[in-house]
Amino acid sequence: MTGIAIVGCGNISQQYLTNLTSFTDVRVVACADLDVDRARAVAKQYGVPVAGEVERVVNHPDVEIVVNLTVPAAHAEVAAQVIAAGRHVYNEKPLTLEPAAGRELLEAAKAAGVRVGCAPDTFLGAGLQTVARSLAAGDIGRPLSAITLLQGPGPERWHPSPEFLFKPGAGPLFDMGPYYLTALAVLFGPVTRVAANGSRAHAQRRIGSGPLAGTVFDVEVLTHVNALLEFAGGQRATTVFSFDSPLSRGDFLELTGTEATLAAPNPNDFTGPVRLRPTGAPDWTDLPVKGATAGRGLGVLEMAQAIAEGRPHRASGELALHVVEVMTAILTSAEESRFVPVTSTFTPPDPWDATV
């Protein structure tokens, strides 16, 4: 069993711990947080034997992989600390806030002989794995294009402390974009260039729930982004990421080929449905959805298995770095009104047949 440590015991840690404490191939041995009392409370809740400061947990002798669930601005610093301690690290998304920091992490990991993994791992779920197998089987013919839509009125209506989601490193692009862009990259391969524009509907927003309800805060990022992506394989994608829409819609990802269209599930989910509609067909056909549905933490599990088996892991640092570069290029394009090249690359992972 691979020893796992959790660094960052906020809301998202509950989902990870629920799953990681149930998988048979890994064992959560430690939890850390800047708020040590919170780390101890979470550790007690999930039966984790060790809790304390980050340095203590990262250097614990039973820890092999550290799952970094800190806020995005701390991802690079904490991951570098983990690598320096000789441990593998799995970051929550995004890998880093800028490509240069991501490249430094991967170079440091290579020199240290450890691995870097990164969320999102939703592409390992049954829904998107079914899509990947359908594409590989040629169900839509030659893949040509994709359309994705992520729209909604913004998380300040329900999130009790949403300010960080409207600061650099967040917004709809960096907060939700990794799910959609990772799915597209896994299915189509590396992006080679992008074009984009964007806007900000409101200079300030108001918190709608929790103890801070009514508090007004500044918006520092684009809250609506349109982007066009070109892929090395010749495919094109049109994407929308918006916190400015009265209509909430997150489950729109359609892939078009020479013979059919494939409707994929929400890239932020691990399940289906997956639907196929060949040219001229009067309606959609549901495809059998097979694979793992456990949820967040699948990427950590698959990484642990890959380390034990001596093979590459699927939710890789190279894939995550590529997505960071794509998002950064989108922002540059929106600011400068030009096509922006994407130079990084990665090897798309093979479909995963696990049924966790």
Side-chain angles (χ1 to χ4, degrees):
M1 296 175 68
T2 301
I4 304 293
I6 301 293
V7 174
C9 296
N11 289 338
I12 193 66
S13 70
Q14 301 287 325
Q15 297 180 47
Y16 275 89
L17 283 162
T18 296
N19 290 322
L20 291 174
T21 54
S22 69
F23 297 152
T24 57
D25 290 348
V26 299
R27 180 170 64 99
V28 182
V29 297
C31 292
D33 195 276
L34 289 175
D35 182 344
V36 175
D37 288 338
R38 179 163 66 176
R40 289 171 179 156
V42 169
K44 182 179 180 180
Q45 179 183 355
Y46 288 94
V48 177
V50 176
E53 298 83 1
V54 174
E55 183 176 359
R56 176 192 177 197
V57 165
V58 166
N59 289 283
H60 191 283
D62 293 338
V63 171
E64 297 176 61
I65 300 174
V66 174
V67 181
N68 179 13
L69 305 182
T70 58
V71 296
H75 284 181
E77 179 182 355
V78 172
Q81 183 178 353
V82 173
I83 291 168
R87 307 297 194 265
H88 309 290
V89 63
Y90 182 95
N91 272 13
E92 185 39 56
K93 53 81 183 169
L95 177 67
T96 55
L97 298 187
E98 55 186 27
R103 286 191 288 269
E104 289 179 7
L105 279 184
L106 296 190
E107 290 167 2
K110 183 177 180 181
V114 297
R115 301 194 188 200
V116 176
C118 190
D121 54 3
T122 43
F123 75 89
L124 294 172
L128 288 174
Q129 286 298 301
T130 298
V131 172
R133 287 190 292 268
S134 178
L135 291 184
D139 289 348
I140 69 170
R142 178 167 56 90
L144 299 175
S145 63
I147 299 174
T148 78
L149 298 175
L150 180 280
Q151 300 172 298
E156 78 277 10
R157 293 170 178 253
W158 56 267
H159 199 294
S161 185
E163 298 97 324
F164 76 99
L165 292 170
F166 294 86
K167 294 182 180 293
L173 178 60
F174 268 76
D175 181 45
M176 298 302 296
Y179 298 108
Y180 296 80
L181 297 172
T182 299
L184 289 173
V186 167
L187 297 171
F188 280 174
V191 176
T192 55
R193 67 171 185 163
V194 306
N197 59 30
S199 60
R200 183 185 299 117
H202 308 285
Q204 294 183 318
R205 300 219 176 190
R206 187 183 303 273
I207 299 176
S209 65
L212 298 177
T215 303
V216 174
F217 61 92
D218 293 334
V219 176
E220 302 178 30
V221 294
L222 296 176
T223 48
H224 182 96
V225 177
N226 305 305
L228 303 176
L229 314 178
E230 294 186 6
F231 295 82
Q235 306 93 339
R236 306 288 192 271
T238 302
T239 62
V240 175
F241 306 104
S242 182
F243 285 167
D244 293 340
S245 171
L247 174 65
S248 293
R249 181 162 50 187
D251 55 357
F252 196 97
L253 168 53
E254 287 189 357
L255 312 169
T256 299
T258 54
E259 307 300 328
T261 297
L262 192 63
N266 188 329
N268 194 15
D269 291 339
F270 291 83
T271 57
V274 178
R275 300 177 298 154
L276 181 70
R277 191 164 183 171
T279 303
D283 207 345
W284 297 91
T285 298
D286 288 331
L287 299 184
V289 176
K290 299 178 180 179
T293 59
R296 282 168 175 79
L298 281 177
V300 181
L301 173 65
E302 197 275 338
M303 182 177 175
Q305 293 173 343
I307 292 169
E309 296 167 10
R311 58 171 175 79
H313 58 288
R314 288 174 167 84
S316 69
E318 290 76 13
L319 169 59
L321 174 60
H322 183 72
V323 170
V324 170
E325 185 173 347
V326 170
M327 293 190 295
T328 303
I330 288 172
L331 288 182
T332 300
S333 178
E335 293 169 356
E336 300 180 5
S337 300
R338 64 180 177 91
F339 274 96
V340 176
V342 177
T343 59
S344 64
T345 190
F346 67 97
T347 301
D350 295 329
W352 191 38
D353 294 325
T355 55
V356 179

